[in-house]
Amino acid sequence: MYAGSNAMLKTFVATSVACLLALGGVALAQEYPSRPVHFVVGFGAGGPDTTARILAAQLAAQTGGKRFLVENKPGSSGQIGAEFVAKAAPDGYTLLVTTASIASLPSLQKRLPFDVIKSFTPISQIASSEASFLLVNPNLPVKTLQELMAYGRDPKNKLTYASTGIGTGSHLRMALFAKANNVPMLHVPFKSPGEAAVSVIGGETNALFLTSTAALPLIKAGKARALAYDYPTRADFMPDVPTMKEGGSAPTDLDSGWHGIMGPANLPEPVFKWLETEIRKALAVPEIREKLINLGLSPVGSSSEEFGKTLEAAVKGMGDAARAAGIEPR
Amino acid sequence: MDVLNNILHGFSVALTPTNLLFCWIGAVLGTVVGVLPGINVLTTFAILLPITFKIDPTAAIVMLSGVYYGAHHSLSTTSIMLNMPGEPSGIVICFDGYPMARQGRAGPALAIAALSSFFAGTVGVFIIAFFAPALSDASLWFQAPEYTAVCILALVGASVVTSKSKINTLGMAAIGLILGTVGTDLHTGVPRFTFDSLHLDGGLDFVPFAAGLFAFVEIAFRLGSYETQVQIKTKLRDVIPRWPDIKAATMPTIRGTALGAAMGVLPGTGPFIASYSAYALETRVAKDPSRFGKGAIEGVAAPEAANNASAFTHYIPMLTLGIPAGAVFAMLMGALMMHGIRPGPDIMTAHADLFWGLIASMWLGNLMLLVLNLPLIGIWIKLLETPYQFIYPTILLLTCIGCYAVHNDVFNIQVAAFVLLGGYVLEKLDCSPGPVIIAMILGPILEENVRRALLISGGDASVFVRRPISAAFLLLTAVLIVTYVLPAFRRKAQPAKAAVLETD
């Protein structure tokens, strides 16, 4: 019976699509989506993939059985998935769920097969990522940010910091801090946040910037010492840790990052308006908010226009940071 | 005995009907994931994620864990049956498992694999329950110089996996090392040997190489011979392992478990180095090393035990520090975090139900896997009796799906086709593909750690011998090289005796 009704539904959808095509673009958009919408994620499982799956499940539930499928196209720091969407038909059935790392691509890559601004229609910023703590190994003889800077400036000492790779937030953040405060620090890249964190708590490297949810258990257990919080205000869950400014350093002013959704350039307005509205609705559901917050994300649900501005600001911010860190586009 | 009380409490959590059901679902799914090449643990986690939203966090992690260790448990099946490794650690099982199947001894191979997995799993669970915090502290002693030394030891050990000449083995390992350099360099961000292809930025993937060098080459060779018509007949009495098999596998299982459990605690190694080192160790301690590669039961038992033991001790960094040892554990943590549970040093006390329930469920899941897998052996054996002209298109199709699934892209199928060409030539030239793939996996880890160690030490190479653990591993490597080179000298001195040995 299920298969039967499904077949009927398919016939119904097919005929309605045919009718709507005859009626023209406006009607088509009104009926959007008439077939499964693909959320392409340029990474494997975890991170933006999880966000995409939470959102897809909620959108399917609230739109009465419309289908939203998550498709992973991992590789080359998200470039493969982004290129796939940039070159897809702008019909709203192929969309990209991405992190702010897409904004760093222009400053890292010379031959990017798409333009981060011009090849996409921003739809909505789903959530913003959490801010980072500056952590040091507890055996390092520094208790404050000032002491860290003094320790690093002393030519007898050699400060090293771990990161999750060239051009990632954890790299740029520390490079900006080191440059702004004139502290010589050696960059030691790792492949994952886990390996980088182990390196600092084991004393192999001295310091790193780590996102709040990952840092919290390490700070509480005394495995790492938090010297500063890279955000304009203190974290309410860790009020003893000063902000970068209070600690005596200039804040890095690097965006904490976000998860957003965008489509190919020239997406019809009714389509992205529909998505914008539904996404905002989904992000207002308490359960969804709670899941995202537990993952260290604050739900946003901005408009296409607002997200466009965020995206442009991120491209500029990441570009400035990469130049400050001395990274040349390859 | 606090721990015993906790374990009993854990069983009371794990034995509730819901948790038992989700444990069973996980174990069954894991078995399917381990056998089918097209779907891996991470993909399965991503698909199951929406279900975990709806259930209790303990049930969620019990189920996801079941998928993870279930896949490790059944990983050996395709290696033994079809020479088709689904994960890097499956390669090692191919070395002796597949020859056993060709000799009509697939039954004992599969049964010993299942039994040694169960033993290793039981020990692994025991280690997590009793020693997790101590081991996690000890794992911090391992830094770049130590990882470097372990990789060098393992690479030198690569010489023992083939019965081919030393120059042959070295040549193959060199090809593997070169292949391993493809991709964006971690330390500089410079793309190497990518030929402007975005697909090569992240380096070459393991799956198309395993497919091309093992499954495809095997098919190509069997199609080119009259053997195609020959079916593998397994006599009924050969399905069940006999006493000599069990006796021969006991010590290797214990050694493999110990080695695997130790390696698994280190987040930077992964199960491949564990199972591969266990295999290399067996060839070293065996009275007659020449049996390896030709269907030695020890060559199945030891790596299988190491693989499973390391799968369990891999939980330790997550459960004690809240640091995931790889993408699979990052996903497991994500599933817990969405329920508001953040694994960390306090998980044993703050979420005692979840922690001890998980541990008890792991053991129960292991038992379920044993009960599930032993009867399956009969079915696998029946499948082997299918004429080869029906089996090989199936292998081809499944392997291609597996290659496609890596990035949801045809690129890796094309890579596998190229690898087949190269692998065919190598096989014709009597070169063994084992060292190629071993060097391809170990090379990048070695390079990363050598460079990191030298970067931190400011270019001072003495770090490798100044640190005791790294120095010990390097000394062991030196001993291995000497024992490896010495017989060659002796052979030169006594050509007559060498000639006799050659004919063995």
Side-chain angles (χ1 to χ4, degrees), chain A residues 98-108 112 116-117 255 258 262 310-319:
Chain A
T98 181
T99 66
S101 70
I102 193 172
S104 69
L105 292 176
S107 46
L108 302 178
L112 209 55
V116 176
I117 307 288
D255 185 351
W258 36 259
M262 42 215 245
T310 310
L311 186 63
E312 274 181 51
V315 171
K316 192 185 167 297
M318 293 281 208

Side-chain angles (χ1 to χ4, degrees), chain A residues 72-73 76 158 202 204 294, chain B residues 143-144 201 337-338 408 456:
Chain A
N72 300 90
K73 294 221 173 270
S76 198
K158 198 184 74 176
E204 180 180 32
N294 282 337
Chain B
Q143 296 176 355
D201 263 9
M337 279 159 64
M338 273 186 276
N408 288 331
I456 294 172

Side-chain angles (χ1 to χ4, degrees), chain A residues 207-230:
Chain A
L208 95 155
F209 270 108
L210 194 63
T211 48
S212 311
T213 43
L216 214 53
L218 299 176
I219 301 169
K220 280 188 179 160
K223 303 269 179 195
R225 181 178 294 141
L227 296 186
Y229 187 56
D230 194 13

Side-chain angles (χ1 to χ4, degrees), chain B residues 19-355:
Chain B
N19 287 341
L20 210 54
L21 175 72
F22 279 107
C23 181
W24 183 79
I25 294 174
V28 171
L29 278 177
T31 305
V32 175
V33 169
V35 173
L36 287 183
I39 178 154
N40 61 30
V41 177
L42 269 180
T43 323
T44 318
F45 277 10
I47 296 166
L48 290 176
L49 209 57
I51 299 172
T52 67
F53 299 165
K54 308 264 189 284
I55 58 180
D56 170 69
T58 307
I61 192 160
V62 161
M63 175 174 73
L64 294 180
S65 293
V67 174
Y68 164 73
Y69 58 76
H72 273 269
H73 192 109
S74 59
L75 176 106
S76 51
T77 309
T78 52
S79 301
I80 293 172
M81 306 282 299
L82 307 170
N83 205 27
M84 190 169 82
E87 296 276 334
S89 37
I91 299 169
V92 189
I93 312 287
C94 285
F95 295 155
D96 279 282
Y98 187 64
M100 280 187 77
R102 296 295 304 274
Q103 293 155 15
R105 285 173 33 82
L110 290 167
I112 289 292
L115 288 168
S116 65
S117 298
F118 175 72
F119 176 81
T122 305
V123 174
V125 171
F126 180 84
I127 290 174
I128 303 178
F130 285 89
F131 307 115
L135 283 174
S136 115
D137 287 344
S139 73
L140 294 178
W141 300 336
F142 266 73
Q143 296 176 355
E146 284 76 21
Y147 279 116
T148 304
V150 168
C151 282
I152 292 175
L153 177 61
L155 259 179
V156 169
S159 56
V160 298
V161 299
T162 58
S163 44
K164 302 285 187 310
S165 74
K166 292 171 180 61
I167 190 82
N168 185 327
T169 309
L170 275 176
M172 292 302 102
I175 292 178
L177 286 176
I178 294 168
L179 291 172
T181 59
V182 175
T184 305
D185 174 39
L186 173 71
H187 284 91
T188 57
V190 177
R192 298 190 298 196
F193 307 115
T194 60
F195 304 100
D196 284 355
S197 161
L198 283 185
H199 294 286
L200 290 176
D201 263 9
L204 290 164
D205 290 298
F206 154 79
V207 175
F209 275 81
L213 287 177
F214 290 86
F216 286 0
V217 166
E218 175 69 21
I219 290 170
F221 264 81
R222 288 183 72 179
L223 290 185
S225 75
Y226 293 106
E227 239 190 301
T228 320
Q229 308 304 326
V230 183
Q231 295 174 12
I232 300 175
K233 281 282 180 211
T234 313
K235 293 184 205 84
L236 192 66
R237 66 177 178 86
D238 282 341
V239 173
I240 307 154
R242 278 166 297 164
W243 179 240
D245 288 331
I246 296 175
K247 219 171 91 183
T250 304
M251 280 318 286
T253 300
I254 294 173
R255 282 191 289 263
T257 303
L259 201 59
M263 292 277 197
V265 181
L266 309 173
T269 52
F272 174 75
I273 299 187
S275 56
Y276 169 63
S277 308
Y279 186 88
L281 178 69
E282 286 313 310
T283 61
R284 284 280 133 188
V285 299
K287 285 200 190 81
D288 177 14
S290 69
R291 289 189 304 116
F292 283 86
K294 296 169 192 151
I297 191 99
E298 300 93 319
V300 175
E304 182 66 9
N307 174 38
N308 279 277
S310 76
F312 283 96
T313 49
H314 251 51
Y315 275 88
I316 290 177
M318 175 179 90
L319 292 175
T320 55
L321 296 171
I323 288 171
V328 165
F329 289 94
M331 281 289 280
L332 270 181
M333 276 178 62
L336 284 180
M337 279 159 64
M338 273 186 276
H339 284 283
I341 295 171
R342 169 85 215 183
D346 61 345
I347 193 170
M348 281 190 201
T349 45
H351 301 284
D353 275 11
L354 183 134
F355 180 84

Side-chain angles (χ1 to χ4, degrees), chain A residues 94-154:
Chain A
T94 312
L95 307 171
L96 182 73
V97 175
T98 181
T99 66
S101 70
I102 193 172
S104 69
L105 292 176
S107 46
L108 302 178
Q109 305 275 341
K110 260 186 217 147
R111 312 164 282 105
L112 209 55
F114 52 83
D115 185 306
V116 176
I117 307 288
K118 288 183 196 136
S119 308
F120 297 98
T121 309
I123 297 168
S124 181
Q125 180 186 342
I126 303 167
S128 50
S129 308
E130 55 192 359
S132 297
F133 283 101
L134 200 172
L135 300 183
V136 294
N137 182 284
N139 295 329
L140 197 72
V142 298
K143 296 261 192 277
T144 64
L145 199 59
Q146 289 284 9
E147 286 175 22
L148 177 74
M149 293 189 282
Y151 181 88
R153 288 191 199 111
D154 186 339

